[in-house]
Structure formats: structure tokens, C-alpha cells
Amino acid sequence: MNILLTITILSFTLFGYAQSDFESFNFNSLYVEFGGNAAAYSINFDKTFTNNSKHNLGIRIGCGYFPVHFIFIPILVNYYYGKENHILEIGGGIVTGYVIVQPSVSIGYRFKPKKRNIFFKAAFTPIRLPVMDSSPITIPWVCVSIGYLFKNQI
């Protein structure tokens, strides 16, 4: 939880802008993720809150399902670095489900073909699994995603 709080405070400190500096648009994305923070697969919604040329911040929320009847909800704050079609994505937050709340991180690459609203993503997303009568274990995990970007005028 301290990691999420630190990321949030740093994001507002490093990328805080006066109201007049914001442009009147942001982007949203809806995508399917295979693997990733929700373990098996999930449907996610991203919303960016800044529209800087290279540095952007956003939040992600999703709903995932694991084959042993668990539903997971990843909630992450993301930092995006890059322009146009090559973007580095770094995120931190939590994944909650049934009776667990686990910290979650993600570092990955997004590719958006020019003049198209689709994107592809690949990321390293280690997951923590609870173990009966023991401390949780961390497993190296990855994801691949495909999604759609759409822009909203505020």
C-alpha cells in the first residue's frame, strides 16, 4: 500500500500542472489482457488524466477470471512514457478478489500502429499468490493484450 501511495504522491508532484495547462482532451482504452495482473485473463479500462507530449498518467481498472472460480479486480495507477506509437508503461496498485488484496506491479510496452485506434501490449506482471499456512509467493508472470483507443473531448 505504501508503494501505491508513493506513486500517487510522486505523480502529482512530478507531473502536476495548472488548470490552464491542460489541453481539452484525454484518451481512454478498452482492452483484453491474457495473463497479467488478474492471472488468467481480464477486460480492462484505462483512462489517462494528462496529455503531455511524452509523460502521461492514468488509472486502470479491470475484471478478470481465474479458472478455479475466482474473480480478480486489478486497480493500477499507470505512468506512460513515449510518443505516438511506441510507449513504455509502468504501473503499480492492487489486485483484489474473493478475500485477498495483493500489491501489483506492471512494466511493459505498448505499440499503436499509426492512423489506427488499436494497440498491442506486452508486459512483465509478477503476481503474488497466497499459500495456506505460509507467506505468499511471487511468480514471474507476463501478459499480452489487444485493445482499442478512443479519444474523448471534455
Side-chain angles (χ1 to χ4, degrees):
M1 197 59 160
N2 289 338
I3 293 171
L4 179 60
L5 182 61
T6 303
I7 290 171
T8 304
I9 291 170
L10 283 175
S11 67
F12 286 113
T13 304
L14 295 174
F15 304 106
Y17 298 96
Q19 183 68 30
S20 62
D21 291 339
F22 280 106
E23 294 186 27
S24 63
F25 112 157
N26 58 17
F27 75 83
N28 303 304
S29 63
L30 186 64
Y31 60 96
V32 177
E33 182 173 85
F34 301 96
N37 303 96
Y41 57 89
S42 61
I43 297 173
N44 299 277
F45 176 76
D46 259 359
K47 178 167 185 61
T48 57
F49 295 106
T50 59
N51 185 26
N52 188 301
S53 62
K54 284 188 179 180
H55 306 278
N56 289 290
L57 290 173
I59 191 164
R60 161 196 171 181
I61 188 165
C63 185
Y65 180 74
F66 194 68
V68 290
H69 305 292
F70 286 118
I71 294 176
F72 293 105
I73 300 171
I75 303 168
L76 284 85
V77 174
N78 290 326
Y79 165 72
Y80 306 97
Y81 176 78
K83 286 176 102 171
E84 298 182 22
N85 56 344
H86 300 285
I87 298 170
L88 171 67
E89 177 183 314
I90 300 170
I94 61 169
V95 174
T96 184
Y98 191 54
V99 293
I100 63 165
V101 175
Q102 295 290 337
S104 183
V105 296
S106 175
I107 182 165
Y109 169 75
R110 277 192 188 202
F111 173 72
K112 181 198 169 297
K114 291 186 179 191
K115 299 184 181 182
R116 301 189 74 190
N117 285 351
I118 62 168
F119 71 90
F120 305 95
K121 172 183 158 183
F124 175 66
T125 57
I127 58 174
R128 290 177 50 99
L129 297 175
V131 178
M132 293 293 216
D133 301 326
S134 181
S135 60
I137 59 171
T138 302
I139 299 173
W141 206 248
V142 295
C143 76
V144 292
S145 304
I146 184 169
Y148 182 78
L149 288 168
F150 49 98
K151 296 180 181 179
N152 282 341
Q153 293 295 329
I154 296 176

